[in-house]
Each structure stands twice: as C-alpha cells, then as structure tokens.
Amino acid sequence: MLDSIAEHLCLYPAPSHTLPHTQLTEINLQGCSSVTTRPFHRLLRCSPMLERLNAKGLKAVTNVTLDVLSTSAPLITHLNLSRCLNIDAEGLRSYFAAALDRDDTLRLRELRVSGLRRVDDDVMEKMGHTCPELEVLDLSYAKDLHNSAVDAFVRWPEDWGVPSPPVSPFSPSSSSPTMGYPFPSPSSWPSLASFPSSFLSAFEERERQERGIGPALKWNHHQESVLLTSKDAGRDPGDSTKYRRRVTQLRHVNFSCCTLLTDIAASHLAHAAPRLEFFEMSGIGGEVREEGLIRLFKTTPRIRKIDLEDAADVGDALIEALTPDPSSSDVVSPVLADGPAPQPGHALEDLIISHASGITNEALLALVRRCTRLRVLEADGTRILPGTVKEFVKLSRERGMRDARLVTIDCRTVGDGATKDIFPHIRPRAGWRAYGARKLGYLDSRDNEYADIAAEVSGGEGGRRNTDSVVMDECDPERVVVKTFYTWQVVDQVKAAREKRAKAGKGAGKGRGRGNRTSDDTGVGGVGGGVGGGARMRWWPGAGGGSRFAGAGTPTILETRPDREGCVLM
C-alpha cells in the first residue's frame, strides 16, 4: 500500500538529471503498524523536501533508515523515532558521522528517541557537533545514558581552538519570514530543472551562495561557547583548570527514567542551556539531589516546566532557588524576548515535585505566592498544609488562570476540611466535552442531569437549591482542579448516584411494560391459539402467526432505558 502511495505522489515526468520525487514536507506514520521497511525506505528516498518525520513505534524503522535519511532528506528538522525497537545508538552514530565526513551540520531542531539503547559518550559528542540548532532532545528511558555522555554533549573540542565571535549561519534573521528557518524560503529555492544529480549538494551550494559562505568553511566553529571555572562547572573548587562548554539552543530536555543519571547530568548542562524552558528528570529516585539541579536552574531564567517526580532527596534549597524575590515577582516575563529574565522562577508555570518529603510547607507557600505564573503544582506526598491549598486556589482565580491544577494525593496533612471552604471553586478532574470523553462520565452543569445528581448525592435535601455545595462541575475551566483523597470521593458519589438512577429507571420501565397489556397481547383477532391466555405475545412482526406488522406491544421511544444502553437514534 505504501509503495503505491509513493508511486502516485511522485512527479512525472521528472526533470532532467533527477529521479522521480514527491513534494512531501511532513510524514506522520505513527500507529501504522503494518508498514514494512522496504516501501517505507522508498518513500523516504523520493522525498527530498521532507522536514518532519514521525515514525514513533514503527517496527519498519531500522538503523538503515537513518542512513537513508542522511542521503535523501537533507532538510529534515523534526525527527521522532521514539519506541522504535529495531534501532539503537549505532544508527544515530552513522547518521552523525556522515555529516561529519561531509564537514557539514544537520538541520535538526527536534530529536525524539525515547527508549534508545546503547547510548554512549561518542554518540552524544557527535550529536553535539553536528546538531548546533537542536532545541528539543528526548532521551527518556535511555537506560544506558550516563552522566559522562551529557558532559560529552556540551564539551568544546580542543581541536576547535578559541571560538570566533558567535555568528551562526543558521541564526534567525529579521528578514526571514520564518523564525529560525535554516534555509531560504521555499519561494527562493532553485527550480527542480536546475538540480544536479544530488539534491544534497544542490541545496548546500544554493545556501552557501545566498549567505556568501565558502565551501571549505567549518560551520562547527561558529557555535557559541562559555569558559567556566572549576567551581562553576561543578568540580573541585580548588582546581584552577578552566572548562569550555558549548552554548546550546536547547529549550526542552527529557531525561526521565534514565536510571544511570544523577543530578551531575543537570550540573553539566549549567551555563550550556541558557534558553532552557522545559526540563524533565522524573522516575530516577534518590540519586537526583539538589546541588546539581540548583546549579542548572540558576542559569536558566526562562524555565517554565520542571518535572522531578520521585526525586525524594530534594528539599527547600531547590524551591528557594526557584522562588523569585518579592520585588521581581510581578515583572512581566520576557520568555520570548532577546534579553534574559531577571530571576529564575518568575516564568515558572508547571512544577512536579511529587514524593519530595523533605520540602516544607513554608517553602511551598512562598513559591505559590511569588511565582505569579504558576498554574500546575503536583506536590503529592509532601508536607503541604490546607492553608497552602486554599492559597493556591485563591491566587489562581485572582490571576485568571484557566485549567489550574493542584495535586496533593497521599498528603496526610490535607484532610477533608481543606476543601470545604473552597468547594464551589474546585473540581476533582479536568473534564471536557467531546465524543472521546463520553465513557469518562464527566459531570457538566450544562447537562440536564446536573441538578438531579446533586439531589441524589445530598439525599434529596437541598441538592436542587445549591448544587455547587454538593457536586462539582468538572467541565468548567475556571475551576481549579484539586486532586485529593476526599475530592476523589465526590467522583465515586456521582458514579453511585448515576447507577442508582439507572436502576430506578430500569425498574420503572419494567413496571410500565406489565401495566400496559391489552387484549391484543394474547393474539390478534383470536389467532394464535397456541399461546395461552396469560401469555404475552412477542412484538416483532409475524410472531405467533399473527399480523406481519408490529402490534401494540412494540416499545416506543419513550420507553428506552435511561442509562443510554441499547440502540441510540443518531
């Protein structure tokens, strides 16, 4: 099938000196489990303009796939090969080595290879040398990834010497219509008729002519770098050795469930990722401590999301490093501006510190008050108190936060009384109205059942007068999602009320069926003597030898079951 699709998408007749090719710029085959390797490679070979490829979880992806991309897709910027079981780090090694052999760099801005096996220092070093514009790096579940590999990724090679002023040929220009686009706009591309036999050499030559770059120039030498003391690099403070690191373009790093990593990996990224906005390092456990994380976050003023779930050994020092001073907490965040942000934490929106039992309530309360953009806080298993829960809900509503969320499950200090005063302003789940959400049973005040469910939950006393004090509208984005042991009980109560109403409606339907019998139920015009006088005739046509048409026993639309079972008129 994919062979046929590629055949029909190719341009015929092909221009001189070129092979048949497509004009595809994006291919998404995620979930296409029947795709095989050979037609998949053929599609890639005839797609020289490809920029985005999503092949997540495909068995058809092998190490050879990366060799095909290296020779046939020079413009690729977004690559997702996560959970591809038939590739390992050797495929990436050859992919990066091919670029180094050409004395070239890759255009990759997003690389997702979750679950990649056999990742070592050499692969990460080649990745750093050939991907200077990399912004998103997902290496989650890379079980072989070690701290030294992260160090190799940001290390400045000695043979590069002292860098020249930071001028990158891929830096976005004000005249470019697309921010950070590594090539001239598509309208300025050369015509297909002018392409030589190799698409790669044609695009390289075109770009160098546009930018006035000589063919022998090594683009790697135009990366930025920073010179650090031993103390700044997280090493022995008494050592006088200087360390030079590359300044990367990373905005999103995911090291979750890389079990060989510690906070030293985060320390290696300090001063090397000043544009970092999303940092995920969950599922590792007690090996992640405060020191390396603090060193990183002090150099990332634009940080917006931090996921440190299961980092049980972090404490108040980390929270204090992310809490801006009161004088600067109201400063507008220049996340998209050129200048650096005043203090780390002022742009923080999402913080996950579940199971960090060493964090106190005082540190969390200061964080909630001073981080004016904080929208999501997952602090289950911490020492958070009910007062901080109420403060989070109050400030979220005052700041106009939509879909704000606070998770305090398994917090012994948060009891039933923590949510009583804020009950009308919270909800247990973030519900939405869509066909895909129908089985989740979200409670919506726009449904007719809302008041009836409230009456059922309250035992019929006052539920219809004040529904907000009994149940929660789960589809209201203005309400703050508060997940505790006691708010989940409200979900169970709503479910039990629905089941009770469904059983009551089912019983009423059976009662109406017994009470609506007529003389025709025993036959039509005395026909069907085989049916006893007390028996009920079936309602479908021709039953018992009677009329071919539905009789009086045919159920009407009003008698359908109220629990939405059976046939539904669309």
Side-chain angles (χ1 to χ4, degrees):
M1 176 64 73
L2 195 60
D3 248 341
S4 177
I5 293 175
E7 182 77 16
H8 286 83
L9 288 176
C10 286
L11 297 178
Y12 292 99
S16 59
H17 306 294
T18 62
L19 297 175
H21 60 275
T22 71
Q23 293 183 317
L24 293 175
T25 60
E26 181 175 354
I27 297 177
N28 187 346
L29 296 177
Q30 181 177 345
C32 301
S33 57
S34 299
V35 173
T36 56
T37 301
R38 185 174 179 179
F40 177 55
H41 287 177
R42 182 185 178 186
L43 177 62
L44 295 180
R45 285 191 178 98
C46 62
S47 302
M49 298 182 183
L50 185 64
E51 298 177 7
R52 296 171 177 261
L53 174 62
N54 184 359
K56 182 178 180 180
L58 290 190
K59 294 181 179 179
V61 178
T62 64
N63 288 339
V64 179
T65 304
L66 290 162
D67 294 334
V68 174
L69 290 174
S70 177
T71 57
S72 304
L75 300 181
I76 194 161
T77 59
H78 294 70
L79 183 60
N80 188 349
L81 300 180
S82 296
R83 298 298 177 184
C84 294
L85 301 180
N86 294 326
I87 67 170
D88 55 25
E90 291 301 322
L92 281 182
R93 193 193 313 275
S94 61
Y95 183 52
F96 299 142
L100 291 175
D101 292 341
R102 298 191 304 265
D103 199 13
D104 195 4
T105 55
L106 300 174
R107 283 75 173 169
L108 278 178
R109 294 167 55 190
E110 180 176 318
L111 178 60
R112 298 183 182 271
V113 284
S114 176
L116 188 67
R117 294 173 287 115
R118 301 177 183 174
V119 182
D120 57 16
D121 297 10
D122 182 62
V123 173
M124 295 297 292
E125 184 177 17
K126 285 183 170 61
M127 182 191 299
H129 294 176
T130 58
C131 303
E133 295 300 309
L134 192 63
E135 298 180 1
V136 179
L137 177 60
D138 183 1
L139 284 170
S140 56
Y141 294 91
K143 302 297 184 180
D144 302 319
L145 184 64
H146 199 269
N147 295 330
S148 60
V150 181
D151 184 31
F153 176 72
V154 299
R155 186 186 304 133
W156 183 267
E158 294 182 0
D159 58 348
W160 284 8
V162 179
S164 56
V167 178
S168 172
F170 292 124
S171 59
S173 60
S174 58
S175 60
S176 176
T178 305
M179 184 75 169
Y181 200 82
F183 280 88
S185 62
S187 61
S188 64
W189 286 357
S191 63
L192 293 174
S194 65
F195 279 11
S197 58
S198 171
F199 280 97
L200 180 60
S201 61
F203 280 110
E204 285 180 346
E205 172 126 4
R206 175 70 177 186
E207 185 178 10
R208 284 167 176 167
Q209 289 177 359
E210 290 285 337
R211 298 183 180 272
I213 300 175
L217 178 63
K218 291 188 176 181
W219 292 354
N220 292 341
H221 293 190
H222 285 264
Q223 298 187 37
E224 299 179 40
S225 69
V226 59
L227 188 63
L228 304 177
T229 63
S230 182
K231 180 180 179 181
D232 293 335
R235 303 177 187 270
D236 183 10
D239 189 1
S240 59
T241 306
K242 302 289 184 179
Y243 297 89
R244 187 174 295 277
R245 289 177 179 172
R246 291 188 313 109
V247 178
T248 68
Q249 305 293 323
L250 288 175
R251 294 188 304 105
H252 186 175
V253 175
N254 190 349
F255 289 152
S256 295
C257 297
C258 297
T259 52
L260 294 182
L261 292 184
T262 66
D263 60 300
I264 297 177
S267 179
H268 289 326
L269 291 177
H271 301 280
R275 300 169 180 85
L276 190 65
E277 298 180 23
F278 304 91
F279 183 75
E280 300 178 56
M281 204 172 183
S282 63
I284 297 179
E287 296 299 326
V288 179
R289 295 182 172 84
E290 293 178 334
E291 185 178 356
L293 296 171
I294 293 174
R295 186 175 291 109
L296 169 64
F297 295 141
K298 283 185 176 180
T299 63
T300 56
R302 302 183 183 184
I303 195 72
R304 295 166 54 192
K305 176 181 178 180
I306 301 173
D307 185 358
L308 298 175
E309 186 174 0
D310 292 334
D313 287 348
V314 301
D316 288 353
L318 175 65
I319 301 300
E320 291 172 0
L322 294 172
T323 304
D325 293 336
S327 58
S328 61
S329 59
D330 296 330
V331 177
V332 178
S333 169
V335 173
L336 299 178
D338 295 333
Q343 285 188 353
H346 81 287
L348 188 63
E349 300 176 4
D350 194 325
L351 178 61
I352 302 176
I353 49 171
S354 299
H355 312 299
S357 56
I359 298 178
T360 63
N361 178 75
E362 290 73 17
L364 290 175
L365 182 59
L367 180 81
V368 168
R369 288 175 175 173
R370 298 181 190 177
C371 294
T372 57
R373 296 193 168 211
L374 188 64
R375 185 179 58 87
V376 177
L377 176 60
E378 296 190 15
D380 46 316
T382 63
R383 304 180 192 176
I384 190 171
L385 294 178
T388 304
V389 174
K390 297 177 183 179
E391 187 74 7
F392 181 87
V393 174
K394 172 189 173 184
L395 293 177
S396 297
R397 293 179 59 83
E398 291 178 355
R399 295 164 182 169
M401 298 287 184
R402 293 175 65 87
D403 295 320
R405 183 171 77 248
L406 175 63
V407 181
T408 57
I409 304 173
D410 296 332
C411 293
R412 297 183 178 181
T413 54
V414 179
D416 188 17
T419 59
K420 285 186 177 180
D421 297 338
I422 55 177
F423 200 91
H425 308 303
I426 62 175
R427 50 179 173 156
R429 298 184 295 175
W432 73 94
R433 293 179 67 94
Y435 179 79
R438 68 194 188 283
K439 291 186 178 181
L440 298 175
Y442 292 125
L443 189 62
D444 193 342
S445 60
R446 291 169 288 187
D447 292 339
N448 295 330
E449 67 169 1
Y450 188 72
D452 296 333
I453 292 293
E456 191 71 41
V457 171
S458 62
E461 299 179 0
R464 294 182 180 273
R465 292 193 301 270
N466 189 9
T467 57
D468 286 342
S469 63
V470 182
V471 294
M472 306 176 186
D473 183 2
E474 295 180 295
C475 295
D476 184 4
E478 302 295 334
R479 287 175 175 250
V480 180
V481 178
V482 177
K483 294 186 178 182
T484 68
F485 174 79
Y486 300 97
T487 56
W488 277 109
Q489 287 184 337
V490 178
V491 178
D492 295 336
Q493 291 172 0
V494 171
K495 181 180 178 181
R498 279 176 171 157
E499 292 175 351
K500 185 176 180 180
R501 293 183 68 232
K503 290 180 180 179
K506 191 181 300 184
K510 290 181 180 179
R512 287 195 299 269
R514 287 191 297 268
N516 287 338
R517 291 183 181 178
T518 63
S519 60
D520 290 337
D521 290 341
T522 58
V524 180
V527 180
V531 181
R536 181 179 180 183
M537 180 181 175
R538 298 186 182 276
W539 61 267
W540 57 78
S547 172
R548 294 184 302 167
F549 302 99
T554 303
T556 64
I557 296 178
L558 297 178
E559 293 177 346
T560 55
R561 299 159 86 175
D563 56 351
R564 302 178 182 177
E565 294 180 357
C567 300
V568 179
L569 297 178
M570 303 299 290

